[in-house]
Amino acid sequence: MTNYRWTLDLQMFSQEKTERATPKKRQEARKKGQVAKSQELPAALILLIVFISFIMLGGYYKVRILRMFGLLLEQKLLMEVTTANVITMFSDLMMQGFMLLMPIFVISILIALLVNYMQVGLLFTGEPFKVKFEKISPIKGFKNIFSMHSVVEFIKNILKLLLIGLVVYITIMKERDRILGLATVPVEEIFAFIASVTIKLGLEIGAILVALAVFDYLYKRYEHEKSLKMSKQDIKDEYKKSEGDPLIKGKIRERQRRMALQRMMQQVPKADVVITNPTHFAIALQYDGKTMEAPTIIAKGMDFVALRIKDLAKEHGVIMMENRPLARALYERTEIGDTVPADLFQAVAEVLAYVYKLKNKVK
């Protein structure tokens, strides 16, 4: 019973997701669009930089606003109301409005592209747009409502509203006296005051949202890393899928070795001579002056394989020669199918000459 509990605890421990995700798991998640990304960071930066642009491009915005209202109040106010005149007026107003908003559009697009690239790099995937029925599951939706992610988002939104409300309250209370005295100042001063307060509020709120968005991005990264974590068993399974089961690979290698050994043994009867050590090494040589430039190693082995080579040589009448230095040198310096090294030609030639002399005597 104790062993069973220990085994069960070990299995449960191996299933705990405590390990960092492997590069393969990260790549698969990225292909599915699962990346650490904050949607609030680009929006907050766009808001902040747009209000900064109001300060830097204030003259441009002023000219465009004056042209728009001047066009409407000075040129078009007394015009004759006809279809052509109305179309022309709306076309001019749309063009002036487009020119007024164009810097905002350009800034928004550039900041959105830049921030998203900084967060996730180049990523093109259609996986998030695929229809998945589990996304519309009421049970899963109910679980998501009361998940830790939802709680964090709720707290973050409440904090955001409280901070923005506090900033607006403090700013208005500071300018309370000037606000109460707006009724006695010219219209230009009213517009200038409203513009300055609006820009001030925009910069302060934008800075607060950027700070909150940075923390949101860090939390998204933490949450993403946590969701990618793997158990020890997951890592083993991934390794088996990518590299193959080590047990099966070992069996395949063993079978390949057996087949190679079998093919090598089939070549032993074709040898002209087998050079031995006499017990540890055996090297089978073949030489055909018509087709070969030098003697070739067709089989070699050590210990048990060497003994098998010698047994086959005896069965098929292949001459065996004992030469310990030559046998060791050929075994260490050559592979099956190689020709004899040039510095060993003399020694091998002497062996083959002796073998041919024995064969002639037998004949």
Side-chain angles (χ1 to χ4, degrees), residues 37-38 40 143-162 212-224 226:
K37 179 181 176 182
S38 172
E40 297 185 7
K143 289 180 180 179
N144 289 335
I145 293 174
F146 297 97
S147 65
M148 180 58 67
H149 177 77
S150 299
V151 172
V152 172
E153 290 294 322
F154 176 75
I155 294 173
K156 183 180 65 179
N157 291 329
I158 292 296
L159 180 62
K160 195 186 303 182
L161 288 174
L162 289 175
L212 291 175
V214 170
F215 284 107
D216 179 65
Y217 172 68
L218 295 176
Y219 174 74
K220 287 289 196 304
R221 286 196 62 175
Y222 164 76
E223 199 174 44
H224 179 66
K226 186 178 178 181

Side-chain angles (χ1 to χ4, degrees), residues 182 184-194:
L182 288 178
T184 61
V185 299
V187 176
E188 289 184 2
E189 290 188 19
I190 294 175
F191 278 113
F193 172 74
I194 292 173

Side-chain angles (χ1 to χ4, degrees), residues 29-38 119-120 123 220 224:
R30 184 176 174 82
K31 287 180 180 178
K32 295 178 182 178
Q34 299 173 3
V35 291
K37 179 181 176 182
S38 172
Q119 289 187 90
V120 300
L123 178 61
K220 287 289 196 304
H224 179 66

